[in-house]
Structures are given as C-alpha cells and as structure tokens.
Amino acid sequence: MMLLWLGLSSRSHAQTAFEWDFHGIGFEVASDFNVQANNESEFTAVSSDGIIAVTLLPWADATVSMEHLAEATISTAEQLATFDRAEIDGDAIDLGDLEGYFIVAATDDYQSYDFLLVALLLDVESSTNLVVAIGFMDGNEDEAIDILGSIYAYD
C-alpha cells in the first residue's frame, strides 16, 4: 500500500517545463497545463481544471527602472483587473538574469480569477522584459508563487 501511495503522490506533483522560444523564457507548471497561445506577442498556459492561468507578454518601456518598478507593476495590473490598491501584497524578485517586482491582488472582477499575480521582469542580459500575469482561484497562491519563481531566461 505504501508503494502505491508513493507512486500516486509522485505523479500528482509532476512538473512540465514550457519554453517560449520567441523570447527565450521558460517556466515550470504542473503536468496538467495546456498551452493556449504561443506566438511572438503572448504565451499562455492554463491548468486543465481552469483554476490557474499563466500569461507572459513582452514588455518594452525604457523609462521604467528598478526604482519605479513597484508603481509600474501596480499600474500594469490595473490594466488587467479591478482591485483595491490598499489590499495588495508586493515584493522585489530576483530570478538570476531576470529581476523585477510582483504584486498579488484580490480582484473585484465578476468573471475573473479570485486573485491576480502580476510581475514586471527586467532582463539584465538582453532587452526582453516581461509582464507575467498569473490568475488563480482561492487556495492556489503557493502554486502561483512557485510558477513565478520557476521562470528563467535562456539563450
């Protein structure tokens, strides 16, 4: 019985790496994610149960520096969803070649996810900067943070 349980639990945590070759960016998600868009302007993957969606977008704004990234992240998030600015959590993030800022906000939108994680990442090695948007339902914040933490640049 113990071996059966170990076999089942290891399969439920299997990870899949997705790579966005247009911009040399990869990330890991649970094995039940499916790619919805993969082109030069967007990469989106959604879990089979629809409770988490990950979208990567290229971003170019030469006026934004690390000093102003927190406010730029909030402004970008406001373009994606409605939320109370007073009730967001945010922090800087360092992913090696990618550095940035992320926020997590509870959304007020009727037909959206319960929460939205938005990150602006600056690539210190190239001109490819990213918007990362991860929509998720209540109870899935750890998985959303893990996905953000798994993002890497290649090439």
Side-chain angles (χ1 to χ4, degrees):
M1 283 299 247
M2 183 61 130
L3 290 175
L4 176 64
W5 180 80
L6 287 174
L8 290 175
S9 66
S10 68
R11 274 188 240 143
S12 67
H13 298 295
Q15 296 288 300
T16 297
F18 286 131
E19 292 189 336
W20 190 22
D21 291 333
F22 287 99
H23 296 284
I25 301 296
F27 62 97
E28 291 186 359
V29 292
S31 62
D32 73 326
F33 275 69
N34 297 301
V35 174
Q36 301 292 312
N38 182 3
N39 55 57
E40 192 171 351
S41 62
E42 175 186 353
F43 187 100
T44 297
V46 179
S47 64
S48 62
D49 55 11
I51 62 172
I52 299 179
V54 180
T55 298
L56 305 178
L57 306 167
W59 171 63
D61 187 342
T63 65
V64 176
S65 64
M66 285 300 289
E67 294 81 37
H68 302 101
L69 206 53
E71 186 58 38
T73 305
I74 293 169
S75 295
T76 300
E78 287 178 327
Q79 295 172 18
L80 301 172
T82 304
F83 55 88
D84 183 349
R85 271 182 167 244
E87 296 187 26
I88 61 172
D89 290 323
D91 204 354
I93 187 166
D94 184 343
L95 301 172
D97 288 347
L98 301 168
E99 297 177 356
Y101 194 85
F102 75 96
I103 66 161
V104 176
T107 64
D108 294 330
D109 298 317
Y110 174 70
Q111 293 182 329
S112 72
Y113 290 94
D114 294 336
F115 295 92
L116 179 64
L117 181 154
V118 174
L120 294 183
L121 301 176
L122 305 176
D123 190 332
V124 298
E125 296 295 321
S126 78
S127 61
T128 302
N129 300 319
L130 295 172
V131 175
V132 178
I134 304 173
F136 60 96
M137 301 308 283
D138 193 22
N140 293 280
E141 184 172 1
D142 289 343
E143 186 173 355
I145 296 289
D146 288 346
I147 292 168
L148 177 63
S150 76
I151 295 175
Y152 60 92
Y154 63 92
D155 286 337

